[in-house]
């Protein structure tokens, strides 16, 4: 009995082999890249994803430029800051820089949003391509169908074996049937953004990381507030010291001016000091300036009078010399007459 069964099975196998040999092996191939380029839905979604990617890149670039500007500003101000303030500000900059790099990894990392959404875009189209290939292979009795854009090395492939157009027409028909059957769902899908894949473990990790980042951000804000308050107090103390130094310098200058004018205005100085007690610093400086201008004018007038007196003395001396010369010239003439 067993021998008969084996004999019948062998006959069936040989028969199927002979039938396949008579009709030949049917082989086809597809070009996935060409198919994707001719699927409108995939191209629209890819364009939207490219816009998002450009926005993410621009956002990250702007934030990194801000970090570079903050570093350059801190380096320029390092000579004016204490070591503690410099390290605190550098720590804040490094924290913000790490946050930006983490955001960049979240968007463009191996498990980032870009890879997730690319997989989400590819998966439906890949499923459609697979279904279309299965349908075509079954209806046209293909034995093998390869993907030209995959890792399979195809040194040569004739165009008559390319069934990419058949796959595109099959996907288009399926899309039209879906649109005709559920237009409301189609409109809702067009208005929806690309929905990320749901990963509870990943979401839990991201939530924990976000909580840590929020806690860290609160600590940084509290520390920045404390630093700002301390800087304000230090600035106020520095302003008070500076104002005190200016007042002491003004007082010392006033004392020096008072000592310099003590010989001329001893009595007037005491009365002026008592009068200046209720005046402002600007009024006192203005009075001193006016006094200096008056003193300068008096000195100029005195010099002018001295100059005038010297010129008069020179003129008088000149006249006396001329008279003496005339007298000396007249004396010899008189002696000649006597002789």
């Amino acid at each position: 009995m067993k021998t008969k069964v084996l004999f019948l099975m062998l006959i069936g196998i040989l028969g199927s082999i002979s039938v396949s040999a008579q009709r030949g092996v049917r082989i086809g191939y597809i070009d996935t890249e060409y198919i994707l380029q001719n699927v409108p839905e995939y191209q629209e979604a890819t364009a939207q994803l490219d816009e998002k990617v450009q926005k993410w890149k621009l956002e990250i670039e702007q934030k990194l430029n801000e970090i570079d500007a903050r570093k350059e500003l801190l380096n320029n101000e390092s000579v004016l800051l204490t070591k503690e303030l410099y390290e605190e500000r550098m720590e804040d900059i490094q924290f913000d820089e790490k946050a930006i790099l983490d955001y960049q990894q979240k968007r463009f990392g191996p498990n980032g949003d870009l890879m997730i959404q690319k997989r989400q875009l590819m998966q439906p189209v890949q499923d459609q391509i697979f279904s279309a290939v299965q349908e075509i292979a079954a209806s046209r009795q293909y034995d093998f169908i390869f993907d030209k854009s995959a890792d399979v090395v195809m040194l040569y492939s004739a165009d008559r074996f390319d069934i990419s157009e058949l796959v595109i027409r099959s996907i288009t028909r399926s899309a039209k049937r879906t649109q005709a059957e559920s237009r409301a769902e189609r409109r809702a899908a067009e208005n929806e953004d690309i929905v990320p894949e749901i990963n509870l473990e990943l979401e839990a990790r991201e939530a924990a990381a976000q909580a840590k980042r929020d806690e860290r951000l609160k600590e940084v804000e509290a520390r920045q507030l404390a630093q700002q308050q301390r800087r304000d107090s230090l600035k106020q103390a520095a302003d008070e010291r500076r104002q005190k130094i200016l007042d002491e310098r003004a007082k010392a200058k006033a004392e020096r001016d008072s000592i310099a004018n003590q010989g001329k205005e001893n009595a007037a100085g005491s009365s002026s000091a008592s009068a200046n007690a209720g005046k402002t610093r600007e009024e006192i400086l203005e009075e001193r300036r006016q006094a200096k201008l008056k003193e300068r004018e008096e000195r100029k007038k005195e010099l002018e009078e001295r100059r005038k007196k010297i010129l008069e003395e020179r003129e008088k001396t000149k006249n006396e010399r001329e008279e003496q010369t005339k007298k000396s010239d007249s004396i010899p003439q008189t002696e000649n007459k006597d002789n």
Side-chain angles (χ1 to χ4, degrees):
M1 187 65 182
K2 291 182 180 180
T3 305
K4 292 182 180 180
V5 172
L6 292 174
F7 180 75
L8 293 174
M9 290 178 63
L10 179 60
I11 293 175
I13 293 170
L14 292 174
S16 62
I17 292 174
S18 63
V19 171
S20 299
Q22 289 177 1
R23 69 176 179 84
V25 178
R26 291 180 60 82
I27 298 174
Y29 69 91
I30 62 172
D31 189 349
T32 303
E33 293 181 358
Y34 174 77
I35 294 171
L36 293 176
Q37 292 175 0
N38 290 273
V39 176
E41 292 81 2
Y42 178 80
Q43 293 299 318
E44 291 175 1
T46 303
Q48 294 177 3
L49 182 58
D50 291 338
E51 291 179 1
K52 282 188 177 182
V53 170
Q54 292 301 322
K55 289 181 181 178
W56 293 342
K57 288 182 178 179
L58 182 61
E59 183 181 4
I60 293 170
E61 184 178 359
Q62 290 176 351
K63 290 182 178 180
L64 291 177
N65 291 335
E66 291 176 1
I67 292 295
D68 293 338
R70 289 172 61 186
K71 285 183 178 179
E72 184 177 0
L73 180 61
L74 180 59
N75 290 331
N76 294 333
E77 295 178 351
S78 59
V79 294
L80 304 176
L81 300 175
T82 62
K83 182 179 179 180
E84 182 181 2
L85 289 175
Y86 178 84
E87 291 177 352
E88 289 178 354
R89 292 179 63 178
M90 179 58 72
E91 185 180 356
D92 294 339
I93 293 173
Q94 290 175 351
F95 175 77
D96 294 339
E97 185 177 14
K98 184 178 182 301
I100 295 171
L101 295 177
D102 291 340
Y103 177 78
Q104 185 178 14
Q105 188 70 12
K106 177 184 176 183
R107 293 299 191 187
F108 300 101
N111 296 320
D113 296 339
L114 179 59
M115 297 303 297
I116 292 174
Q117 296 190 11
K118 277 187 175 181
R119 287 197 300 269
Q120 183 181 359
L121 285 177
M122 286 294 298
Q123 190 62 42
V125 180
Q126 287 176 345
D127 293 339
Q128 290 177 352
I129 293 173
F130 181 77
S131 299
V133 168
Q134 293 292 323
E135 180 181 357
I136 294 169
S139 62
R140 301 205 175 196
Q141 296 182 353
Y142 280 94
D143 296 308
F144 301 97
I145 295 178
F146 301 99
D147 187 359
K148 184 179 180 180
S149 60
D151 296 332
V152 179
V153 178
M154 300 182 69
L155 300 179
Y156 174 78
S157 59
D159 293 338
R160 67 178 181 273
F161 298 117
D162 189 358
I163 62 171
S164 299
E165 292 292 340
L166 295 175
V167 175
I168 293 173
R169 287 199 293 269
S170 177
I171 293 173
T172 304
R173 287 196 303 269
S174 298
K176 289 181 179 179
R177 286 197 301 268
T178 303
Q179 183 177 9
E181 292 173 0
S182 178
R183 292 184 179 179
E185 293 180 0
R186 181 65 179 174
R187 287 195 298 269
E190 291 177 353
N191 295 327
E192 288 179 357
D193 198 354
I194 299 174
V195 181
E197 294 180 351
I198 298 175
N199 190 333
L200 297 178
E201 184 179 355
L202 179 61
E203 289 183 355
R205 288 199 302 268
E206 290 181 353
Q210 184 63 34
K212 290 182 180 180
R213 286 195 293 269
D214 293 340
E215 184 178 357
R216 176 63 177 169
L217 184 59
K218 290 181 181 178
E219 292 178 358
V220 171
E221 290 177 353
R223 187 172 58 190
Q224 288 178 350
L225 181 60
Q227 289 177 0
Q228 187 63 36
Q229 291 176 353
R230 185 172 59 183
R231 289 170 188 167
D232 293 340
S233 62
L234 292 174
K235 183 179 178 183
Q236 184 177 1
D239 292 340
E240 291 177 354
R241 287 197 300 270
R242 180 174 175 274
Q243 187 62 37
K244 185 178 179 180
I245 291 171
L246 292 175
D247 294 339
E248 290 177 354
R249 288 179 181 176
K251 184 178 179 181
K253 187 175 182 299
E255 290 177 355
R256 287 196 300 270
D257 293 339
S258 177
I259 293 171
N261 297 327
Q262 187 175 5
K264 296 180 179 180
E265 302 174 354
N266 192 8
S270 58
S271 60
S272 175
S274 60
N276 290 337
K279 295 181 179 179
T280 62
R281 182 171 175 271
E282 289 77 9
E283 292 177 348
I284 294 172
L285 293 176
E286 182 64 23
E287 289 181 357
R288 289 176 183 169
R289 191 176 68 84
Q290 294 296 333
K292 286 183 180 180
L293 291 175
K294 184 177 180 182
E295 183 181 355
R296 194 178 300 168
E297 291 293 334
E298 291 178 354
R299 211 176 331 170
K300 183 177 179 182
K301 185 176 180 182
E302 182 180 355
L303 291 174
E304 187 66 27
E305 290 178 355
R306 287 174 59 187
R307 178 175 172 278
K308 186 176 180 181
K309 185 176 180 181
I310 291 170
L311 291 174
E312 290 177 354
E313 289 178 355
R314 288 180 180 176
E315 186 68 24
K316 183 178 179 182
T317 304
K318 181 180 178 182
N319 293 334
E320 289 177 354
R321 287 178 181 176
E322 289 179 354
E323 289 179 359
Q324 289 178 359
T325 303
K326 288 180 181 180
K327 287 180 181 181
S328 61
D329 290 339
S330 62
I331 290 172
Q333 291 178 1
T334 306
E335 289 178 354
N336 291 329
K337 288 180 181 180
D338 293 340
N339 293 329

